[in-house]
Amino acid sequence: AILGAPPLAEYHFIYLLSSKRVRHAVEHANSAMFTLPDYVTATTESINSINGISAHEFFHLWNVKRIRPEALWPYDYQKEQYTTLHWFTEGVTDYITYLTLVRCGLITQDQFYGMLANNISALENNPASWRTSPAEASFNSWLEHSAYHPPFSRVSYYTLGTRAGLLLDLEMRKLSRGQASLDVLFRDLFDNVYGAGKGLSKEELQSRVEALTKSSFASFFQSYIYGTDKINYQAFFEPFGLFLDVYTREDLPWYKIGITQASVKRTGLHIDGVIPGSDAAQAGLADGDVITMINNEPVDAFDTEAFFYAHKEGKNFKAKVITPGGNDEITVTWTNRLDAREFKLRQLPKTSKKQDQLRESWLKSQVK
């Protein structure tokens, strides 16, 4: 519906099912290759679990295998090819995947809203997303797993691009009264950029959005693609009759001191993520550390409910820690500056005809 028939005679989905728990997929010009655990064929539900990754790789048939950044035109397999557009090639493809699933009836509208809200939650709880733009994350993709890429800036251009694609689509639809959208943009790019035998530049992407909407997107791109301005989500959702609720999560107590990922095991609290500048970081905790004792008691005996949810600032606790350099004893001061947040997207109970029309054309869009 977006781009017409595939631009080739045959397309192959190639699934390699493994006895190992591995998931990987990569797009090609005429096919997509998937490596998945063999249990995905066990039930209808498990088979349905691969709809998303299948839709993602299939859309790459157009976005990145044909419509692709000018830095990748032509491909050069002998060196890095830097581009600020991976948010568009991968993240927007993820966003289109969500739309594909709901438009095909493979997920419900509420599930679609849940996927969008989960993406927003992941970003809003990751301080790196507050300081790293989609364009910067794209350009730094070659350093993603490098020691030269500091932890405070590590955030995926997939998740940043998914949110950017959502905001761009909603803004295009709002300003054009539903006449322009990412659907229309992709058709335009396929016909007039790929069709002209050239790659896509960041300048042409913005100019084509502006031509389709007959509106300036300079501020949008500067704020949300090249910048990290705080997002007023409701300004984007309200024209579609939607509301984004936000809740404080009370099931992630360690986030309150800046530990974003951790698991309690027999040996203690294993830390896999620490927010730079947080209480945990100030105390000297880092990725890979293991807290073995808190206030001279095993970690699993520490009452996080009583400590973190009494709403008293300035509390301290002493911790024994195993670090790569050996054993240490530290004092952690909790300043009550951080809370993990959960976002939920819902339809407003009362909506106008205009809001309903915009929302329905978005969720059931058909490009003629």
Side-chain angles (χ1 to χ4, degrees):
I2 297 175
L3 286 150
L8 42 87
E10 291 186 353
Y11 184 89
H12 295 267
F13 292 88
I14 305 168
Y15 298 92
L16 173 63
L17 302 181
S18 170
S19 59
K20 298 181 180 179
R21 295 189 172 222
V22 58
R23 287 177 179 265
H24 181 70
V26 64
E27 70 279 0
H28 298 288
N30 303 301
S31 64
M33 179 72 194
F34 306 81
T35 304
L36 298 163
D38 53 14
Y39 61 74
V40 299
T41 62
T43 65
T44 300
E45 183 179 358
S46 61
I47 291 174
N48 286 341
S49 72
I50 67 173
N51 286 337
I53 195 171
S54 300
H56 177 102
E57 303 306 334
F58 184 58
F59 195 71
H60 274 318
L61 171 66
W62 293 274
N63 191 28
V64 90
K65 297 312 295 185
R66 286 162 178 84
I67 303 166
R68 65 180 187 265
E70 62 177 357
L72 306 181
W73 192 289
Y75 292 123
D76 186 341
Y77 297 106
Q78 304 306 314
K79 64 182 180 182
E80 298 92 337
Q81 292 179 282
Y82 293 96
T83 176
T84 59
L85 287 175
H86 283 315
W87 68 269
F88 190 78
T89 63
E90 292 292 353
V92 174
T93 295
D94 256 357
Y95 168 68
I96 293 292
T97 295
Y98 298 171
L99 274 177
T100 299
L101 296 177
V102 72
R103 288 172 176 174
C104 290
L106 294 172
I107 61 173
T108 66
Q109 288 187 15
D110 285 341
Q111 288 173 318
F112 173 66
Y113 296 153
M115 295 168 88
L116 298 178
N118 288 342
N119 170 264
I120 292 171
S121 295
L123 289 172
E124 292 295 334
N125 286 320
N126 182 355
S129 73
W130 310 341
R131 59 177 65 90
T132 304
S133 70
E136 183 182 0
S138 300
F139 191 82
N140 288 337
S141 62
W142 292 98
L143 302 174
E144 191 168 357
H145 302 292
S146 165
Y148 293 99
H149 196 193
F152 61 78
S153 66
R154 289 179 187 170
V155 59
S156 172
Y157 52 81
Y158 280 80
T159 49
L160 286 171
T162 300
R163 180 176 66 181
L166 165 67
L167 300 182
L168 181 59
D169 196 14
L170 296 182
E171 191 71 358
M172 290 181 71
R173 290 173 182 276
K174 182 187 77 172
L175 293 178
S176 67
R177 294 180 174 84
Q179 298 304 303
S181 64
L182 278 187
D183 294 349
V184 178
L185 175 64
F186 272 114
R187 175 62 67 89
D188 179 68
L189 296 178
F190 187 74
D191 291 343
N192 299 310
V193 177
Y194 172 69
K198 63 180 182 178
L200 176 66
S201 69
K202 63 180 184 180
E203 292 82 8
E204 185 161 18
L205 174 61
Q206 181 179 327
S207 68
R208 290 195 171 274
V209 169
E210 292 177 335
L212 291 171
T213 58
K214 298 179 174 59
S215 302
S216 172
F217 269 72
S219 177
F220 179 96
F221 274 79
Q222 188 57 47
S223 296
Y224 308 124
I225 305 303
Y226 309 117
T228 57
D229 289 7
K230 188 174 178 60
I231 299 170
N232 179 0
Y233 290 106
Q234 203 49 43
F236 288 94
F237 286 124
E238 192 277 335
F240 295 80
L242 300 172
F243 189 84
L244 190 67
D245 292 304
V246 58
Y247 305 90
T248 298
R249 292 190 61 174
E250 298 189 355
D251 59 332
L252 297 173
W254 296 112
Y255 188 95
K256 286 181 169 290
I257 61 169
I259 296 176
T260 58
Q261 293 183 343
S263 55
V264 177
K265 300 180 180 178
R266 182 178 55 83
T267 50
L269 183 73
H270 290 243
I271 299 172
D272 298 313
V274 175
I275 297 173
S278 64
D279 299 339
Q282 294 285 348
L285 292 170
D287 295 8
D289 289 352
V290 180
I291 299 177
T292 58
M293 302 282 284
I294 296 179
N295 293 337
N296 294 317
E297 292 185 330
V299 171
D300 57 7
F302 181 65
D303 191 340
T304 56
E305 183 76 21
F307 188 89
F308 289 115
Y309 297 105
H311 304 292
K312 294 180 181 178
E313 298 183 20
K315 281 187 173 183
N316 299 341
F317 66 81
K318 294 187 179 297
K320 292 183 179 180
V321 186
I322 300 175
T323 73
N327 296 338
D328 198 4
E329 186 167 342
I330 62 172
T331 298
V332 180
T333 300
W334 172 48
T335 60
N336 201 15
R337 292 178 296 160
L338 290 171
D339 272 315
R341 293 177 295 166
E342 180 179 14
F343 292 81
K344 292 186 178 180
L345 185 62
R346 60 180 171 85
Q347 187 172 319
L348 291 167
K350 292 184 178 180
T351 54
S352 68
K353 183 178 179 180
K354 183 178 178 181
Q355 288 173 317
D356 292 340
Q357 289 174 338
L358 273 178
R359 187 177 62 257
E360 290 304 307
S361 68
W362 171 46
L363 297 176
K364 298 179 180 178
S365 180
Q366 297 286 325
V367 174
K368 296 179 181 178

